[in-house]
Amino acid sequence: MDFELRGKHFLVTGATSGIGLEIARLLRECGADLVLFGRNQERLKALEHELGARTVALDITDEYAITAAFADLPALDGLVNCAGISILDPATRLHAADLDAMMATNLRAATIVAREAANNMLAAGRQGSIVNVSSQAAMVALENHLGYCASKAAMDAMTRVLCLELGPQGIRVNSVNPTVTLTPMAARAWSEPAKRDPMLAAIPLGRFAAPREVAQPVAFLLSSAASMISGTCLPIDGGYTAR
């Protein structure tokens, strides 16, 4: 499906693997020009050739690196904040360093990148769209996910505030909140029946998401087809959070 993205410029963070990579590939299929942020220089180099993308290797938690990268970027039409980490432990064994790491990537870095992307669009006089890749963990309690749930709930709060502040300038801001998404890493992590089957039983559609099923709503929210949608946190969860 073409979401009218031809000639548009989008930044995707966390673009070298998983959901971020699938989003980047779909946006390119829809005609968009891409800037990709990631850590892995080798993968970024490969994506330059595969997608014709401009790439920047950086530590997404380094505010100064982000600010420096934006100084050399073209005018953007949108941002996908997809970089994220998950460290799972029971609440009674949660380490402060792990909580700090999740907040630094899932909230702080996403906020700083959104700040810079918004300033980029405003300076160019462009209206645009920001999509934050959150999680169903922002909406429900999940065992062993205290830090992750908190960081993604904070991302959704950030989405709503940005919607309020940037809306008058024509910049829309939304989150998508996927369930377990079968990237290669997730497919391995959820391969054991004892872990997989209870989660599947709680999803009314009875299956996990494919990466493309997350990428397509992101492309929709970036496009003019979603021109009156802002401030929403969209579950992509097969009905899991409806219970």
Side-chain angles (χ1 to χ4, degrees), residues 5-17:
L5 302 181
R6 299 187 188 283
K8 301 289 187 180
H9 286 78
F10 296 108
L11 167 63
V12 182
T13 72
T16 57
S17 63

Side-chain angles (χ1 to χ4, degrees), residues 112-123:
I112 299 304
V113 174
R115 179 195 73 192
E116 294 300 312
N119 284 326
N120 172 289
M121 288 185 271
L122 293 172

Side-chain angles (χ1 to χ4, degrees), residues 72-90:
D72 195 36
L73 292 191
L76 297 174
D77 297 287
L79 160 69
V80 181
N81 258 324
C82 195
I85 63 170
S86 175
I87 304 171
L88 307 183
D89 275 309

